[in-house]
Amino acid sequence: MSKIEEAVTEVANYAGNIYGIDEAIEKLESYELNERVSFTAEIYAWEAGDYSAKDKFVLNSFLSSDDQTPLRKIIIAMLKEKREEYISDFQKATVSLEKLAKEVLNE
């Protein structure tokens, strides 16, 4: 039974990751470009089962809307690429869960 619980958790985690990326993409796509917006980046690390902030820095103060557009496009493209990886992993985890469920039902 613990193998099934692990597989269910893995499937749920990938689904959550996909949902989180979808939300981030949606926010970026609907973001209104404003003149003189300051962009900031944060670096996180995975530690003891949780994310923790490691560093925060200003990418460039007061970007024009023309400068914001390519940055936003690059970030969205990177998020979409990561989303595809999560979808692939999600599909693999789902197949694994289905196999385990069939094994349990056949026992």
Side-chain angles (χ1 to χ4, degrees), residues 11-51:
V11 168
N13 287 341
Y14 286 124
N17 291 340
I18 294 166
Y19 178 77
I21 286 180
D22 285 344
E23 279 190 330
I25 291 170
E26 186 178 312
K27 283 180 185 179
L28 285 168
E29 287 176 337
S30 66
Y31 177 75
E32 291 185 30
L33 299 178
N34 298 307
E35 290 296 319
R36 301 185 54 79
V37 170
S38 178
F39 274 75
T40 324
E42 293 184 12
I43 297 174
Y44 288 89
W46 181 258
E47 292 178 347
D50 200 10
Y51 286 106

Side-chain angles (χ1 to χ4, degrees), residues 2 4 11 16 19 22-23 32 38 40 45-46 48 50-51 58 66 70 75 78 82 85 90 96-97 105:
S2 67
I4 289 180
V11 168
Y19 178 77
D22 285 344
E23 279 190 330
E32 291 185 30
S38 178
T40 324
W46 181 258
D50 200 10
Y51 286 106
V58 176
D66 289 341
I75 293 168
M78 290 171 51
K82 190 65 179 173
E85 289 176 30
F90 173 79
S96 177
L97 175 60
L105 291 173

Side-chain angles (χ1 to χ4, degrees), residues 3-104:
K3 285 184 181 183
I4 289 180
E5 289 173 356
E6 289 174 18
V8 167
T9 300
E10 186 176 26
V11 168
N13 287 341
Y14 286 124
N17 291 340
I18 294 166
Y19 178 77
I21 286 180
D22 285 344
E23 279 190 330
I25 291 170
E26 186 178 312
K27 283 180 185 179
L28 285 168
E29 287 176 337
S30 66
Y31 177 75
E32 291 185 30
L33 299 178
N34 298 307
E35 290 296 319
R36 301 185 54 79
V37 170
S38 178
F39 274 75
T40 324
E42 293 184 12
I43 297 174
Y44 288 89
W46 181 258
E47 292 178 347
D50 200 10
Y51 286 106
S52 63
K54 283 294 186 190
D55 199 1
K56 183 176 182 175
F57 55 94
V58 176
L59 287 175
N60 190 344
S61 294
F62 311 117
L63 294 174
S64 71
S65 58
D66 289 341
D67 291 336
Q68 293 172 43
T69 300
L71 274 176
R72 184 170 64 169
K73 287 180 181 178
I74 290 168
I75 293 168
I76 289 171
M78 290 171 51
L79 286 170
K80 286 181 177 180
E81 185 177 312
K82 190 65 179 173
R83 183 181 186 277
E84 291 303 314
E85 289 176 30
Y86 283 142
I87 288 171
S88 175
D89 292 339
F90 173 79
Q91 291 169 336
K92 290 174 189 172
T94 301
V95 168
S96 177
L97 175 60
E98 289 172 352
K99 287 180 183 177
L100 285 170
K102 286 179 184 177
E103 287 176 19
V104 168

